[in-house]
Amino acid sequence: MSSTLVIVPRGHWMNAWFLGLCAVPVISVDGQERTGRWGMPTEITVEPGTRTVAVGAHYRGTRPVLGAQDTTIEVGPGQQLTVEARNGLVNHEPFTVTAERK
């Protein structure tokens, strides 16, 4: 039975406007990256177990993903887990990843 991660990347209220203009969120689950949209959920189907989640920002015109920090999350069978990732006050701070079980 598969499970679902619903990941929502958000910017800090002080710099979210800047990120929205200049960067694209990058979501990584177990090393597989995909782009997201600020404030919008991205649903990812995963197998139950321990998953490694990281969210960062890719500034337009650059290659590196900034602010991504691996966070380990336990996902149960058939579970939908909402994960919010928010960057810090300063854009280079790592994103904080928090999970809410449903």
Side-chain angles (χ1 to χ4, degrees):
M1 176 179 280
S2 61
S3 302
T4 306
L5 290 175
V6 180
I7 302 174
V8 182
R10 299 189 187 279
H12 187 280
W13 66 271
M14 285 285 287
N15 59 27
W17 66 272
F18 180 77
L19 288 175
L21 290 174
C22 301
V24 174
V26 177
I27 298 166
S28 172
V29 176
D30 295 333
Q32 294 185 353
E33 291 185 354
R34 66 195 77 211
T35 58
R37 293 181 60 200
W38 296 111
M40 301 297 292
T42 299
E43 288 192 20
I44 301 170
T45 302
V46 297
E47 291 300 316
T50 303
R51 302 284 140 238
T52 303
V53 176
V55 177
H58 174 81
Y59 284 92
R60 299 179 199 285
T62 64
R63 293 199 49 77
V65 176
L66 303 175
Q69 176 175 294
D70 287 347
T71 302
T72 303
I73 295 176
E74 189 67 32
V75 184
Q79 184 177 48
Q80 178 175 318
L81 192 61
T82 300
V83 178
E84 184 175 278
R86 187 178 301 270
N87 77 315
L89 174 62
V90 182
N91 283 345
H92 69 275
E93 290 180 8
F95 280 69
T96 302
V97 176
T98 55
E100 177 184 313
R101 299 187 191 293
K102 290 190 178 187

